[in-house]
Amino acid sequence: MSEPLLSRKYFDAVYIPAGLLVFGTIIVRKEWTGYAALLAILLSAIKFWRIVPKKVLNPETFKEFELKEKTVISHNVAIYRFALPSPTAILGLPIGQHISIGAAIDQPDGSSKDIVRSYTPISGDHQPGHFDLLIKSYPTGNISRHMAGLAVGQTIRVKGPKGAFVYTPNMVRHFGMIAGGTGITPMLQVVRAIIRGRKAGDTTQVDLIFANVTPQDILLKEDLDALAAEDKGFRVHYVLDKPPADWTGGVGYVTADMITKWLPKPADDVKILLCGPPPMISGLKKTTESLGYQKARPVSKLQDQVFAF
């Protein structure tokens, strides 16, 4: 989302300096006012070019980005921060879409194969100069293992945007979200955008069911709890397959009863978003249909009531 041209940033950096230049010239040497106005326009154009965020993603061509920081969350989860070409650069990634990461992966037979996987950043275009990826490394995961082995200073290849879902404020009255594991990333992206948009009139309600195996597997729980505490329109419901004895949340797999209890009822202004392991998504598509939501397609489209990332 681009910053409005009447924002404080542009007033401070462009409009006020240009106005002062012209006004000062009128006071000191009135006959030079025309030249001052031309100079103010030229300098303002240069300043605009420097401070307006530059979108760097290309949907057709991979670009390289350098790893600047790696924050280890657990033995197999980390947040990777990659630098963009300038402090004002942005990915140019619409809310709800994702990027492709490509790498040449060594194969058991000694050959090398280009592998591409999709990931959703947990950062957004409102944070210029970098982007953050939350990635869980799996023993059989080609790209996730490659990422886990990256050292600061090394690069990855990225292209995008990709994806059929693009969030716009108030596109629905109420989102019901169900995420499993790292499937939380697109949900978090949408939730943060909704909460950022409250001042501009975004009234979207959100209920999120977040399923994991153990409490230690709940990624970004502090962030989610902080968002829920900050915004009354966002509620998160945790489900664990192997809960501790004092657990008060949901237990087992996400069931029809949990969806009925926590998520909005089927309606024209309601949308269900799904993201998680393929077996989980397959089961949830059947469950939501049994509860009266519109049948999910094999490949989701933006207008679908049940959308799987």
Side-chain angles (χ1 to χ4, degrees), residues 117-138:
R117 294 289 184 269
S118 297
Y119 290 91
T120 302
I122 57 172
S123 56
D125 286 349
H126 63 293
Q127 301 164 296
H130 69 269
F131 66 96
D132 296 337
L133 296 173
L134 174 74
I135 297 180
K136 185 173 184 177
S137 178
Y138 296 94

Side-chain angles (χ1 to χ4, degrees), residues 27-292:
I27 295 175
V28 176
R29 189 70 66 92
K30 188 175 182 179
E31 63 271 24
W32 288 3
T33 302
Y35 298 111
L38 289 174
L39 180 59
I41 292 171
L42 176 62
L43 294 176
S44 296
I46 294 172
K47 191 69 173 178
F48 260 118
W49 185 85
R50 287 179 176 174
I51 67 175
V52 170
K54 309 297 189 302
K55 297 179 181 181
V56 301
L57 276 179
N58 186 313
E60 306 298 331
T61 306
F62 279 105
K63 293 188 175 183
E64 291 199 354
F65 300 99
E66 180 182 339
L67 179 63
K68 299 299 291 185
E69 187 179 336
K70 179 178 177 180
T71 304
V72 176
I73 305 299
S74 69
H75 72 284
N76 63 350
V77 178
I79 295 175
Y80 302 82
R81 173 162 292 184
F82 292 90
L84 295 175
S86 74
T88 58
I90 59 175
L91 274 178
L93 185 70
I95 300 298
Q97 294 203 302
H98 53 267
I99 59 176
S100 292
I101 297 178
I105 305 296
D106 292 334
Q107 302 299 302
D109 61 3
S111 64
S112 181
K113 183 179 179 180
D114 278 335
I115 304 292
V116 178
R117 294 289 184 269
S118 297
Y119 290 91
T120 302
I122 57 172
S123 56
D125 286 349
H126 63 293
Q127 301 164 296
H130 69 269
F131 66 96
D132 296 337
L133 296 173
L134 174 74
I135 297 180
K136 185 173 184 177
S137 178
Y138 296 94
T140 58
N142 286 305
I143 297 296
S144 67
R145 284 191 296 114
H146 174 76
M147 295 289 290
L150 281 181
V152 171
Q154 292 184 300
T155 61
I156 59 169
R157 296 188 295 126
V158 173
K159 70 178 180 179
K162 292 183 61 181
F165 185 88
V166 176
Y167 177 73
T168 52
N170 295 311
M171 64 188 295
V172 294
R173 173 180 56 84
H174 201 153
F175 277 119
M177 301 178 173
I178 309 176
T182 53
I184 191 62
T185 54
M187 309 303 186
L188 183 61
Q189 190 188 53
V190 173
V191 168
R192 283 175 169 166
I194 290 170
I195 294 176
R196 284 198 308 274
R198 293 298 193 206
K199 291 182 179 179
D202 196 332
T203 60
T204 310
Q205 294 289 302
V206 183
D207 277 276
L208 164 67
I209 297 176
F210 190 17
N212 289 278
V213 179
T214 70
Q216 292 72 34
D217 295 316
I218 304 176
L219 302 172
L220 301 173
K221 187 176 187 298
E222 289 184 3
D223 298 68
L224 292 167
D225 289 344
L227 289 170
E230 169 193 345
D231 190 274
K232 293 181 179 179
F234 170 57
R235 295 159 293 274
V236 58
H237 315 277
Y238 298 105
V239 176
L240 293 180
D241 191 34
K242 298 179 180 178
D246 58 349
W247 180 250
T248 58
V251 176
Y253 295 136
V254 177
T255 64
D257 287 343
M258 293 177 189
I259 295 172
T260 300
K261 179 180 178 182
W262 290 324
L263 300 191
K265 303 295 184 289
D268 291 341
D269 54 0
V270 160
K271 191 182 286 288
I272 302 297
L273 303 181
L274 310 175
C275 192
M280 174 184 176
I281 300 306
S282 178
L284 287 172
K285 285 182 175 180
K286 296 175 183 176
T287 302
T288 51
E289 184 182 359
S290 73
L291 291 173

